[in-house]
Amino acid sequence: MNVAATAPKFGQSVKRQEDGRFLRGKGKYVDDMILPGQLYAAFVRSPFAHAKISGIGTEGAATMPGVTRIVTGQELAATGLPPLPCGWAITSRDGVPMKVGIRHALAMDTVRYVGEPVALVIAETQNQARDAAEAVMVDYEDLAVLTDITDALGDGAADIHPDIAGNLAFDWELGDESATEEAFASAAHCVPLTLRNNRLVPNAIEPRAINACWDAADEQLTIYMTHQNPIGMRMFYAAVFGLAAEHKLRIVSPDVGGGFGSKAHNYPEEVVVAAAAKLVEGPVKWTADRNEAFLTDAHGRDHLTDVELALDEDGRFLALKVDTKANVGAYLSGSGSLVPTYMYATMLSGQYVIPAIHARVRAVYTNTCPVDAYRGAGRPEAAYVIERIVNVAAERLGIDQAEIRRRNFIRDFPYQTPLVYEYDSGDYEKSLDAALDLADYNGFATRKAASKAKGKLRGIGVSAYVEACGIGPSGKLARLGGGAGMWESAEVRVHPVGTVEVLTGAHSHGQGHATTFAQVVSDRFGVPIENVSVIQGDTDRIQAGTGTYGSRASVGMSATLRACDRIVEKGKQIVAHLMQVDYDTISFEDGIFSSTDSNVTIAFAEMAFAAHAASGFPTDEIEPGLVASSFFDPPEFTYPAGVYVCEVEIDPDTGVVNVASFCAADDFGNVANPMIVEGQVHGGVTQGIGQALWENALYDPDTGQLMSASFMDYGMPRAGGLPDYKLVFSGVPSPSNPLGMKGCGEAGAIGSPPAIINAVCDALDVTHVEMPASPEKIWRLCRERETA
């Protein structure tokens, strides 16, 4: 029977296969799991941003009801537990390796940020553990607090780590400094700007959680955790706990409620809970509350940058120089050294031909939560720098903001930038035209006049972003300091009745992999999408993989496609014997095998049954069964790009910025499922709007307390403050993978903040406004504008 009619094609909008169980409340999350003999954990956390620990009193807490054990840093150190590593090696411009502050899973003698874990209480119930944690008495001796980048680098600033003078983790550079200076010396125009990229809290809807169980009889550790890369974590925990045989360590990441990069790291809390499970020889569960998430989930962004753009008389770019101070927090997190260097500075060419670029990045320790990857991870910071300075230059030279971009666009691909990357494909002018048309750019003057008649200020902003994603390629990453390959694997299993299982090392935490991966299989095999199951997140079932981050689903889907191709090739061999025709005459399309030498056709499911029945073909030549695997290591990154146009309307009496219109033209290459991709763009743009207008992780400079540590104080975007997004895809396929995909998960968060701030500056007729453009800030600028 030909079942191809129910098989959706790659590129069609198909409803998400996984949403039914989520809507019925049937999702499987770590906190839902209760194991036999379940114990619960609560952390004792530092209320100080910087202090010496002079003593930890556990006697009273240890006798409280239900308490089974209290673990301190000294006890963990005695077990041989090593400090947490930073996963990316960076060398300073003087050749000295980066200076890594020692980070113990539980603080030993000094705490360096509010919320740093000091001890762990294990009890029979969650409430008992939390009550006992509050009863643990820790003696602290206050030390000087530094939360601001400039203060931490200042003369006479106290050292946060005793062996790291001046709080400087590294002083790194990229690009040709001498060529850049020469270009500036001969430039007709030099346009400077100082800007700050505000610190953000990830705020995934599901907080971090872990349930770890040690089986003393088998000496096996099983960990259920909210993570984006469970297989990578198996390697990490095997090293931390000295489990040379990885089959003695099982990590399961079931359904995960959002990640945005914040669940891709190795956190101290999870390490401590896993170690505690070994100590008590039983299951121990910890789920962060929202306050813990605010204080300790790795924050994002927090850059202070001086940027200057050199242009000729015609407004063409000659050179760019960037000097960034990156706040990495109290410790270098797992990717804390990667994000402000190779994820950031390498993208400073943007979509433009800029012959000479030089970037300097200083990573600075402060008494704040460590900073790591957050949706976009370095790419949003780069786009903000380049797209803001381009608009300032357009204003300075009297050139329209769209025209100055068009004048400097890269047009020939592949294009080697001055900063490591070679862009694979694109048509930036096509995206610009599509975005301007979608936004009715030429009709803006009419809408501005209408707003003015109502006493409102209206502005329009353009931004053009490009990013590198589709991570690997492993060889290039190794040359940039990476410590492991970043390929992806897939195993495709076809059952006797023609149903299919896909086992992937990628991990979905909201991206819709159960649908898009199944679409690849459904399209290739011609089987109903309902007959395809996508299995992820269990290291006992998945052969290998490196998780999901950096918009790398294209890598996992390409591995899946290659495994499917191998299944089809084997199917052709089997069918050739079944039809008694030559292999070269067999073709396969829409789920049907046919031959130019026969009028007989065989459906995919029939071939699958024959493969398992082992009848009709010689098993000494063709093995029974139907399983294939693939490891795909892309030859190059992919480079999604796009142009965003935003309109804002400002009420000068209240300072409220209303996003009146947001139009996006994105080049994601070939799109697997337009509906899902639109959802990804919606989410990314919403987070970008949040950063531009409301979100700000703000520390008290004297005490180091996070002053925006709840949803009462931290400005999250809400549906009522968002426009109806207008989207169009203007894809140019990528040559770096067989599907021609580029990636879409981070784009919205990369291109939207500069578009919004460009629009705000246009409305106010000012050169720059720092993010977030909060009502109070805008109200004050409006008052200054009236006075002027």
Side-chain angles (χ1 to χ4, degrees):
M1 181 180 67
N2 188 344
V3 298
T6 62
K9 293 293 185 182
F10 179 88
Q12 291 181 345
S13 289
V14 179
K15 288 184 178 180
R16 285 170 35 118
Q17 302 298 293
E18 56 267 64
D19 282 353
R21 62 188 179 86
F22 289 141
L23 292 171
R24 295 194 305 271
K26 300 299 182 182
K28 298 178 182 178
Y29 298 92
V30 171
D31 192 54
D32 297 328
M33 298 176 181
I34 301 176
L35 303 177
Q38 185 71 68
L39 298 173
Y40 297 83
F43 282 93
V44 180
R45 297 187 181 277
S46 171
F48 296 96
H50 198 194
K52 287 283 186 184
I53 299 174
S54 55
I56 302 177
T58 62
E59 295 80 5
T63 61
M64 292 179 68
V67 174
T68 61
R69 189 147 187 168
I70 299 177
V71 182
T72 65
Q74 298 292 343
E75 183 177 3
L76 288 184
T79 68
L81 188 71
L84 272 65
C86 176
W88 209 275
I90 297 295
T91 301
S92 289
R93 59 203 303 215
D94 61 2
V96 175
M98 66 185 187
K99 299 174 182 177
V100 180
I102 301 301
R103 185 184 193 184
H104 296 285
L106 289 175
M108 298 277 284
D109 55 4
T110 305
V111 291
R112 295 180 172 88
Y113 65 98
V114 172
E116 183 168 5
V118 174
L120 181 75
V121 176
I122 304 168
E124 295 172 359
T125 71
Q126 188 176 71
N127 287 338
Q128 288 173 338
R130 289 177 175 174
D131 289 344
E134 292 182 1
V136 173
M137 305 301 293
V138 184
D139 295 325
Y140 296 99
E141 299 175 13
D142 277 359
L143 296 172
V145 173
L146 296 165
T147 62
D148 183 74
I149 305 171
T150 304
D151 293 341
L153 283 178
D155 293 338
D159 292 339
I160 292 172
H161 294 276
D163 53 345
I164 301 177
N167 300 312
L168 192 64
F170 54 78
D171 184 350
W172 176 86
E173 68 178 348
L174 186 68
D176 191 329
E177 185 173 18
S178 61
T180 302
E181 292 299 338
E182 287 178 12
F184 268 88
S186 61
H189 304 281
C190 298
V191 181
L193 179 66
T194 297
L195 49 79
R196 183 181 290 272
N197 203 297
N198 45 322
R199 178 182 281 237
L200 305 176
V201 178
N203 281 321
I205 193 169
E206 179 199 20
R208 285 188 290 132
I210 179 173
N211 198 346
C213 184
W214 173 254
D215 185 331
D218 292 336
E219 294 187 334
Q220 180 166 338
L221 180 62
T222 300
I223 298 174
Y224 300 91
M225 66 190 308
T226 55
H227 209 277
Q228 298 173 216
N229 183 11
I231 298 173
M233 283 298 99
R234 180 175 67 174
M235 295 174 59
F236 168 72
Y237 280 93
V240 166
F241 294 113
L243 297 173
E246 284 193 3
H247 68 275
K248 292 292 187 180
L249 175 59
R250 180 190 182 197
I251 293 188
V252 180
S253 289
D255 292 325
V256 175
F260 313 123
S262 70
K263 292 176 182 171
H265 320 313
N266 46 348
Y267 285 97
E269 288 87 353
E270 283 85 337
V271 172
V272 173
V273 171
K278 290 189 66 177
L279 292 174
V280 301
E281 296 187 356
V284 180
K285 180 164 71 171
W286 168 75
T287 301
D289 62 33
R290 187 55 64 179
N291 182 249
E292 287 180 299
F294 269 98
L295 292 175
T296 65
D297 285 4
H299 291 177
R301 319 294 192 247
D302 206 347
H303 285 191
L304 179 63
T305 296
D306 294 309
V307 56
E308 191 169 7
L309 180 64
L311 305 92
D312 67 13
E313 287 285 1
D314 297 322
R316 287 188 168 80
F317 305 157
L318 300 176
L320 179 77
K321 53 184 176 183
V322 176
D323 187 347
T324 293
K325 303 177 187 70
N327 188 340
V328 296
Y331 303 96
L332 278 174
S333 183
S335 300
S337 58
L338 169 66
V339 172
T341 53
Y342 289 113
M343 299 294 282
Y344 163 66
T346 51
M347 298 309 304
L348 286 169
S349 188
Q351 294 190 11
Y352 312 111
V353 175
I354 308 178
I357 304 177
H358 179 259
R360 179 188 183 190
V361 177
R362 282 169 280 181
V364 185
Y365 289 112
T366 62
N367 294 120
T368 61
C369 176
V371 174
D372 209 307
Y374 171 66
R375 198 167 192 168
R379 281 75 55 85
E381 295 92 315
Y384 189 65
V385 168
I386 187 68
E387 291 307 293
R388 283 297 298 124
I389 194 63
V390 166
N391 256 48
V392 173
E395 176 194 4
R396 181 77 58 86
L397 275 64
I399 304 173
D400 177 78
Q401 58 180 314
E403 172 57 29
I404 197 171
R405 287 173 169 82
R406 189 188 304 275
R407 198 172 295 183
N408 288 281
F409 274 155
I410 297 164
R411 286 181 166 79
D412 298 321
F413 295 88
Y415 176 80
Q416 178 63 56
T417 75
L419 300 171
V420 178
Y421 290 145
E422 182 180 81
Y423 297 170
D424 55 358
S425 65
D427 187 339
Y428 299 156
E429 196 162 16
K430 178 183 177 182
S431 295
L432 176 64
D433 290 337
L436 296 179
D437 182 63
L438 200 62
D440 185 20
Y441 189 75
N442 292 331
F444 172 71
T446 301
R447 297 189 294 277
K448 184 179 180 71
S451 294
K452 184 177 180 180
K454 297 185 298 180
K456 304 292 179 66
L457 305 173
R458 197 176 190 98
I460 191 165
V462 177
S463 75
Y465 78 90
V466 62
E467 61 161 325
C469 59
I471 302 170
S474 299
K476 178 169 284 189
L477 289 167
R479 292 191 295 274
L480 299 180
M486 291 191 180
W487 38 261
E488 195 48 78
S489 79
E491 182 177 328
V492 176
R493 300 174 180 174
V494 182
H495 298 296
V497 294
T499 57
V500 184
E501 284 184 341
V502 179
L503 289 83
T504 174
H507 190 280
S508 178
H509 36 279
Q511 294 89 342
H513 289 179
T515 303
T516 53
F517 278 63
Q519 272 185 264
V520 171
V521 176
S522 177
D523 186 12
R524 188 70 182 96
F525 290 163
V527 300
I529 193 170
E530 297 84 0
N531 289 359
V532 182
S533 299
V534 179
I535 298 166
Q536 62 167 24
D538 187 341
T539 61
D540 271 11
R541 299 197 66 183
I542 311 300
Q543 57 180 348
T546 54
T548 297
Y549 42 85
S551 300
R552 64 185 310 271
S554 61
V555 185
M557 292 171 74
S558 294
T560 301
L561 177 64
R562 291 189 4 171
C564 289
D565 289 343
R566 290 169 184 170
I567 293 284
V568 170
E569 287 305 307
K570 183 175 181 179
K572 288 180 178 180
Q573 296 175 28
I574 293 171
V575 166
H577 284 281
L578 296 177
M579 291 185 176
Q580 298 182 349
V581 297
D582 289 339
Y583 168 84
D584 292 338
T585 69
I586 300 293
S587 62
F588 178 70
E589 188 174 356
D590 293 334
I592 300 295
F593 292 93
S594 60
S595 169
T596 56
D597 290 349
S598 173
N599 60 1
V600 175
T601 60
I602 294 179
F604 181 83
E606 295 175 294
M607 180 278 296
F609 183 82
H612 287 274
S615 61
F617 62 91
T619 56
D620 57 338
E621 296 179 15
I622 306 172
E623 291 183 355
L626 212 51
V627 178
S629 64
S630 173
F631 285 70
F632 180 69
D633 193 358
E636 181 54 88
F637 296 101
T638 59
Y639 298 91
V643 175
Y644 292 171
V645 180
C646 174
E647 280 188 42
V648 300
E649 189 176 64
I650 298 174
D651 185 341
D653 294 330
T654 63
V656 171
V657 178
N658 174 49
V659 181
S661 171
F662 198 100
C663 301
D666 291 293
D667 172 9
F668 297 138
N670 293 332
V671 173
N673 185 315
M675 182 193 72
I676 286 178
V677 172
E678 287 175 4
Q680 288 291 307
V681 176
H682 286 184
V685 170
T686 298
Q687 286 179 282
I689 292 174
Q691 175 175 15
L693 298 183
W694 303 299
E695 297 187 46
N696 196 23
L698 186 64
Y699 282 91
D700 185 298
D702 298 319
T703 65
Q705 297 292 329
L706 182 61
M707 296 190 291
S708 49
S710 75
F711 289 133
M712 294 292 290
D713 306 299
Y714 187 88
M716 291 284 287
R718 290 170 170 80
L722 303 174
D724 290 330
Y725 301 126
K726 299 176 183 177
L727 310 181
V728 64
F729 301 141
S730 54
V732 178
S734 169
S736 298
N737 61 75
L739 289 166
M741 299 172 66
K742 291 185 177 179
C744 66
E746 298 159 305
I750 295 170
S752 55
I756 295 160
I757 296 302
N758 286 344
V760 170
C761 292
D762 181 59
L764 297 174
D765 194 21
V766 297
T767 298
H768 184 60
V769 175
E770 292 284 16
M771 296 190 293
S774 62
E776 179 187 359
K777 186 182 295 181
I778 299 303
W779 181 85
R780 293 186 184 281
L781 286 171
C782 289
R783 300 289 77 76
E784 293 172 8
R785 184 173 180 270
E786 288 179 0
T787 302

